[in-house]
Amino acid sequence: MRITKSQLRRIIKEELDDLLGRTPGGQVLDAQRMEDIYSGYLDSVAEMMQAHPEMSVEEAIENFITLAVEGGDPYLNPEAPEFSEELLNRVLGAAGEM
């Protein structure tokens, strides 16, 4: 079964809503929370790769970041006040973990 880009975007947005509680403003991004978010990001990248086996790990990571930012993720969006360069760099470097 193939997943369309809009379906994938909706799935990622729903997962991000659950993962982030959609109330990131004011929350401290401590080490445990960052690890939880990072783990959720990797799960989403893995799901994307399962849905699109022709996609390389690097392509899946880039597509995930694009979709996450479009979906309102505050931690990967450099324009958001909650932006975490550390988290973004970890996601970009995750290819070796997948």
Side-chain angles (χ1 to χ4, degrees), residues 12 15 39-51 55-65 91 94 98:
I12 289 173
E15 287 184 20
S39 181
Y41 288 166
L42 292 187
D43 289 345
S44 294
V45 171
E47 287 176 18
M48 185 179 294
M49 290 174 59
Q50 264 188 320
M55 199 179 281
S56 72
V57 176
E58 292 80 9
E59 289 173 316
I61 289 170
E62 289 177 20
N63 286 337
F64 168 73
I65 291 170
V91 173
M98 313 235 21

Side-chain angles (χ1 to χ4, degrees), residues 1-16 43-52 54-55 59-68 70-71:
M1 180 176 107
R2 302 281 304 188
I3 296 176
T4 66
K5 195 170 186 174
S6 64
Q7 289 171 320
L8 187 58
R9 185 176 287 124
R10 181 184 50 74
I11 290 167
I12 289 173
K13 183 180 180 329
E14 289 172 2
E15 287 184 20
L16 287 171
D43 289 345
S44 294
V45 171
E47 287 176 18
M48 185 179 294
M49 290 174 59
Q50 264 188 320
H52 300 280
E54 74 284 356
M55 199 179 281
E59 289 173 316
I61 289 170
E62 289 177 20
N63 286 337
F64 168 73
I65 291 170
T66 299
L67 292 171
E70 287 175 1

Side-chain angles (χ1 to χ4, degrees), residues 10-97:
R10 181 184 50 74
I11 290 167
I12 289 173
K13 183 180 180 329
E14 289 172 2
E15 287 184 20
L16 287 171
D17 286 346
D18 290 342
L19 182 66
L20 301 174
R22 207 35 86 185
T23 58
Q27 289 183 353
V28 176
L29 191 58
D30 62 17
Q32 182 59 53
R33 182 150 173 76
M34 183 179 290
E35 196 58 39
D36 292 346
I37 292 170
Y38 177 68
S39 181
Y41 288 166
L42 292 187
D43 289 345
S44 294
V45 171
E47 287 176 18
M48 185 179 294
M49 290 174 59
Q50 264 188 320
H52 300 280
E54 74 284 356
M55 199 179 281
S56 72
V57 176
E58 292 80 9
E59 289 173 316
I61 289 170
E62 289 177 20
N63 286 337
F64 168 73
I65 291 170
T66 299
L67 292 171
V69 170
E70 287 175 1
D73 183 280
Y75 300 118
L76 298 179
N77 183 352
E79 296 177 11
E82 297 90 353
F83 172 66
S84 170
E85 187 172 354
E86 180 182 352
L87 197 49
L88 177 61
N89 287 336
R90 284 187 69 192
V91 173
L92 288 171
E97 296 181 39

